[in-house]
Amino acid sequence: MKDCVFCKIIGGEIKAAKILEDKDYLAFGDIAPIKPGHTLVLPKKHVSYIFDMDKELLCGLIEACKPLAEAIRKVFKPKTCRVGIMVAGEAVPHVHLHLIPMDKGRDLNFEKSDKNTPFEKVQEAADKIKEQ
């Protein structure tokens, strides 16, 4: 979809702190992270609603999250030893999952997102995750 910001990232029109990319999925650092390591994972195929995805694409999306969550947990060492996963999808109408290192349950709160995070900080976090 030509007006979708995530499709523009997939197409290389907008830069992103990429962590994982294969033929079907892309993961990159959120530019307004709730916490360092906040990662978005999405299918490259444009689908606006998660439950409109076919089973294969949906299962693949979840499978793509598993090694990323392990890397995020290893790098950022959240106090709960957990990485939260959330589907919100209102800001960008392209299916995407949020992976967020959790020190406490309240960490899954978009009111805490830092919209002033410099891209360099997002890239630094993404590079640490990618190295794992």
Side-chain angles (χ1 to χ4, degrees):
M1 175 174 266
K2 67 179 180 176
D3 293 331
C4 172
V5 67
F6 288 167
C7 288
K8 289 179 180 182
I9 289 171
I10 292 164
E13 297 173 55
I14 297 174
K15 75 177 181 175
K18 292 182 181 180
I19 299 166
L20 168 137
E21 183 171 16
D22 65 21
K23 68 180 187 63
D24 296 314
Y25 305 98
L26 176 64
F28 53 91
D30 192 304
I31 60 165
I34 291 173
K35 301 189 71 182
H38 182 167
T39 300
L40 300 179
V41 188
L42 53 121
K44 287 185 169 180
K45 178 181 179 184
H46 183 88
V47 180
S48 63
Y49 179 56
I50 193 164
F51 296 114
D52 286 341
M53 294 174 72
D54 64 45
K55 182 178 178 180
E56 183 179 342
L57 193 62
L58 178 59
C59 289
L61 180 61
I62 296 297
E63 288 174 357
C65 290
K66 185 173 172 135
L68 290 165
E70 289 302 315
I72 292 166
R73 185 164 66 165
K74 190 173 184 180
V75 171
F76 295 98
K77 299 175 180 21
K79 291 178 184 170
T80 64
C81 295
R82 297 183 186 271
V83 173
I85 184 170
M86 188 174 2
V87 179
E90 291 182 32
V92 179
H94 184 126
V95 171
H96 57 287
L97 302 181
H98 295 262
L99 299 179
I100 303 165
M102 294 174 52
D103 289 325
K104 47 192 163 234
R106 296 187 303 266
D107 288 337
L108 298 182
N109 180 345
F110 284 100
E111 290 178 5
K112 293 182 174 188
S113 63
D114 184 358
K115 294 173 179 49
N116 296 313
T117 302
F119 182 80
E120 293 74 27
K121 289 285 187 188
V122 175
Q123 184 67 60
E124 181 181 312
D127 289 342
K128 287 179 182 177
I129 297 166
K130 195 175 1 180
E131 289 171 6
Q132 293 304 307

